[in-house]
């Protein structure tokens, strides 16, 4: 769902707010909530009064600048956002993103490059792509095995569903 542009009382568009300022406001929300506390997107956007587009730019600024400055990771994690220094959560998040990247790389090979078969060798750039993507997917396989040895973050207990039996009369 997109939000309408912020407007002033007279109906004119509000002056733009620098992304850096919005990122600092968002980071302050995470500091208030403390590390490892998930904040839903709506909570953040409502509290710092940003549109969806502004929020996307804010997340980029946080990842590009504030995380190194503050020494904490910023993660999109299980339906929310958090700051953390927990290696298990960071590894789980990185693993999920790497899986998506690996899937895209494999599809690039299978759907665009490999169908050319022997002709790939006639095009230096495509041959290089084929070799490098194959190397990246092998690297992913090694990284994936390594993340399997990391401890898993605490998971919430799932309630078991019980079938209701029909009442006998």
């Amino acid at each position: 769902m997109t939000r309408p542009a912020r407007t002033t009382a007279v109906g004119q568009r509000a002056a733009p707010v620098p992304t850096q300022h919005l990122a600092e406001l968002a980071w302050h929300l995470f500091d208030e909530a403390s590390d490892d506390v998930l904040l839903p997107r709506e909570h953040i956007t409502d509290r710092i009064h940003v549109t969806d587009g502004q929020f996307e730019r804010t997340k980029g600024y946080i990842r590009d600048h504030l995380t190194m400055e503050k020494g904490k990771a910023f993660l999109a994690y299980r339906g929310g956002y958090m700051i953390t220094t927990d290696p298990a959560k960071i590894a789980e998040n990185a693993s999920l993103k790497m899986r998506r990247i690996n899937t895209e790389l494999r599809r690039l090979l299978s759907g665009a490059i490999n169908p050319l078969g022997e002709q790939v060798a006639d095009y230096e750039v495509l041959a290089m792509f084929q070799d490098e993507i194959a190397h990246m997917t092998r690297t992913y396989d090694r990284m994936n095995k390594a993340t399997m040895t990391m401890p898993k973050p605490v998971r919430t207990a799932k309630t078991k569903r019980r079938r209701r039996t029909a009442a006998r009369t």
Side-chain angles (χ1 to χ4, degrees), residues 71-139:
K72 295 180 182 180
F74 172 71
L75 306 177
Y77 190 82
R78 298 184 184 176
Y81 297 89
M82 71 166 53
I83 56 174
T84 187
T85 56
D86 183 337
K89 288 183 177 111
I90 295 166
E92 180 182 0
N93 187 267
S95 178
L96 291 170
K97 289 183 182 209
M98 291 302 296
R99 185 180 319 146
R100 286 187 217 120
I101 292 168
N102 186 58
T103 299
E104 287 301 314
L105 290 171
R106 290 180 188 274
R107 286 180 179 156
L108 182 58
L109 278 178
S110 68
I113 297 171
N114 290 347
L116 294 179
E118 299 289 325
Q119 291 178 327
V120 170
D122 297 336
Y123 301 96
E124 185 178 345
V125 172
L126 290 180
M128 181 182 70
F129 285 163
Q130 190 177 48
D131 290 344
E132 294 302 320
I133 292 171
H135 173 72
M136 288 181 233
T137 58
R138 286 191 305 275
T139 301

Side-chain angles (χ1 to χ4, degrees), residues 19-20 23-24 27 57-72 74:
T19 302
Q20 179 179 358
E24 292 288 345
W27 194 272
R57 288 189 300 281
T58 298
K59 291 188 309 184
Y61 189 90
I62 290 171
R63 289 185 178 116
D64 294 345
H65 302 284
L66 292 185
T67 54
M68 288 299 292
E69 179 185 316
K70 308 286 186 178
K72 295 180 182 180
F74 172 71

